[in-house]
Amino acid sequence: MPKLAPRFSTQTLLLQLGVVLLVVLLSGTVHASLVYGRIGAEAESQALTLARTVASDPVIRSEVQAISKEPGTPPAAELATGPIQATAEAARGRTGALFVVVTDETGLRLAHPDQARLGERVSTDPSDALSGKEVTTRNTGTLGPSAGAKVPIYASGSATSVVGEVSVGYSMESLGQSLGEDIVPIALTAAGSLAVGALASFLLRRRLQRLTLGLEPEEISTLVHDQVAVLQGVDDGVIGISADGRITVFNAAARRLLDIPDAPTTPSSPAHSDASRNGPTDGHVLTGSSWDDADVPAQLKALTQPSAHDAEAVEIVAGDRVLVANARKALHRKEDLGWVVMLRDRTELQQLTRQLDAVGTMSAALRAQRHEFTNQLHTIAGFLSIGQHVQAKDYLARISATGPLKFPVQQAELLQDPYLQAFVGAKGVEADERGVALRIGPETLVRGHVTEPQDVTTVLGNLIDNAVNAAVAGTSTRRWVELELLDEPGPDGGTLHIVVADSGDGLRGIERERVFVEGFTTAEPTDGGMASAGGQGLGLALVRQLARRRGGDVRVLEPGSPGGPGAVFMATMPRVTRTPDDAAPAALSTSAEPTEGQQ
């Protein structure tokens, strides 16, 4: 099996430890070198001072001058007991120098720690000192490596006549011992620095692992690409909330579904700074802000409360949309990363469901009336077969007056639009099955034809359903729902006014505007008030949003009273009908335009 490479955090730790170790070694080496150089310089300076002191001694100057005037050099035994040797050794003993050597003008030793070498030439070049220069040196002589100085000896009473030189040296071994005394704190400092650096590197590794959730750089790069692709490619809204309650993800679909306008942040804004630390943001001001303070429906925030059930879905109304929202806890290796809220658009599904309900209701009504229609045909055939033509004619007249199919809707003949006839008739069948009489009010007058059946179905069907529910739940023994419709012509299409009343117990003290609040429902017996269709608390909120989107409204005209009559609702829907006369000017204008052949 191939050997797996160390993890990135481990590689980072090892690299940091290597850098810290290298820095400590280099720093320790440089420091030791500087200390060694300083000690050597101090030794040279001390040697130079001692050499000057010995060279200026009157005894040394006079004795060296006397020997220099005589031919040859005195024997070693004489030099060993002479004043020059005694003075030099005395100086060496007092200062701890390695050697104090005195020579004549030719470089022959007149004083030396090793008396056997007296009278011999020195091992190092004395020419600089004999030429009148003071020099410091580091070299190796007969007594070993040393740091020293050479100073000329001038004749008594002269400042230019050189008669010899003094060479003083301190052992490099003593310098090493001095350095050894200083190296202990240097080593301790280096070891402490290494330990602190290693600890800092380990803590940095731990923090890096925590921030990256133990992921490798390649995995992080892949996740970023996947996140961008998913967030920008899905039609569902995605909102990410971190464990500390800040919004980290708010994709474009979520903004569209919640009807939140785009608000790009500038590089200098605080939101931009927070968002840049938290990954892709789509440039929206909500990203990086507090989830509790975000301008989103309260039901979404309730999904992320600690008491909320994971994956519990709720329906909300946002603008003119019906959304299904659910939230899930985000966990990684048992670490709480926060919440992910998903939004799905169910507006078209809700509208289609209502249309299918209406179609199903009408189909059931048609099936119920089919037998009656068949019986009517048999009756007419019977009259004709026995020659009762007059009775057959009268029977046909009655059928023509009432219609071949009778819906249980009182005064249904006031509705001329076939769509409204069919839809209200189907609702009448539903109401009749629940013991509620649906009737058309005497003030009903719809001269045009419905051009927006989908919107009319949603609003009209919801108001009728609510009224039927209220009539069933009411205390009145006579259960009824009255519907009045009136269209008002307009330049862009007619406005349809819908008024629905019932025999229920009214709002029973509930504020009029509260019934339009999203989530309000009286489907449960303990709630009270008007029930919305399906018991979801979305019906009235949805129809008001839909009507207002068209420039209309839905409101409560009368709150009703216990025992009946119940509440009265009114809906105004502009641009949903058109009369035959509306198309005449357009047709006339079109026919008046000359054709190509008439020009």
Side-chain angles (χ1 to χ4, degrees), residues 321-336:
R321 301 178 185 274
V322 177
L323 306 178
V324 175
N326 70 297
R328 291 183 180 273
K329 263 292 184 182
L331 301 174
H332 180 78
R333 297 175 183 174
K334 298 183 179 181
E335 180 179 356
D336 184 5

Side-chain angles (χ1 to χ4, degrees), residues 234-257:
V234 298
D235 292 331
D236 294 345
V238 180
I239 305 175
I241 302 99
S242 64
D244 60 353
R246 304 189 70 82
I247 300 175
T248 57
V249 175
F250 208 103
N251 71 341
R255 298 199 306 271
R256 175 177 56 82
L257 295 176

Side-chain angles (χ1 to χ4, degrees), residues 290-371:
S290 173
W291 173 242
D292 293 335
D293 299 333
D295 186 17
V296 298
Q299 286 179 281
L300 285 183
K301 298 178 182 178
L303 290 176
T304 60
Q305 296 300 317
S307 59
H309 297 290
D310 194 13
E312 179 182 0
V314 298
E315 288 189 349
I316 65 173
V317 176
D320 58 347
R321 301 178 185 274
V322 177
L323 306 178
V324 175
N326 70 297
R328 291 183 180 273
K329 263 292 184 182
L331 301 174
H332 180 78
R333 297 175 183 174
K334 298 183 179 181
E335 180 179 356
D336 184 5
L337 303 182
W339 290 88
V340 176
V341 179
M342 300 293 295
L343 301 173
R344 299 175 180 86
D345 192 356
R346 291 294 182 268
T347 304
E348 295 181 357
L349 181 60
Q350 289 280 346
Q351 295 171 347
L352 181 60
T353 300
R354 290 189 175 275
Q355 290 181 355
L356 291 176
D357 289 342
V359 171
T361 302
M362 293 175 64
S363 299
L366 289 173
R367 285 194 301 269
Q369 296 295 326
R370 182 185 60 181
H371 298 290

Side-chain angles (χ1 to χ4, degrees), residues 568-586:
V568 180
F569 284 80
M570 178 179 178
T572 304
M573 301 188 66
R575 303 184 305 279
V576 296
T577 64
R578 182 174 297 276
T579 63
D581 295 337
D582 294 337

Side-chain angles (χ1 to χ4, degrees), residues 98-164:
L98 177 63
F99 60 84
V100 176
V101 176
V102 180
T103 69
D104 59 10
E105 78 281 4
T106 62
L108 298 178
R109 298 187 182 98
L110 302 180
H112 192 275
D114 185 1
Q115 297 180 4
R117 297 185 180 278
L118 293 174
E120 298 178 357
R121 185 173 179 82
V122 293
S123 58
T124 58
D125 184 14
S127 58
D128 289 336
L130 294 177
S131 64
K133 299 178 181 179
E134 294 181 349
V135 295
T136 56
T137 62
R138 292 188 188 183
N139 48 40
T140 302
T142 57
L143 299 178
S146 63
K150 295 180 182 293
V151 175
I153 300 174
Y154 294 99
S156 299
S158 174
T160 57
S161 177
V162 177
V163 295

Side-chain angles (χ1 to χ4, degrees), residues 174-200:
S174 63
L175 297 182
Q177 293 176 355
S178 299
L179 179 62
E181 297 175 356
D182 292 342
I183 204 65
V184 174
I186 296 176
L188 293 177
T189 303
S193 301
L194 182 60
V196 171
L199 178 60

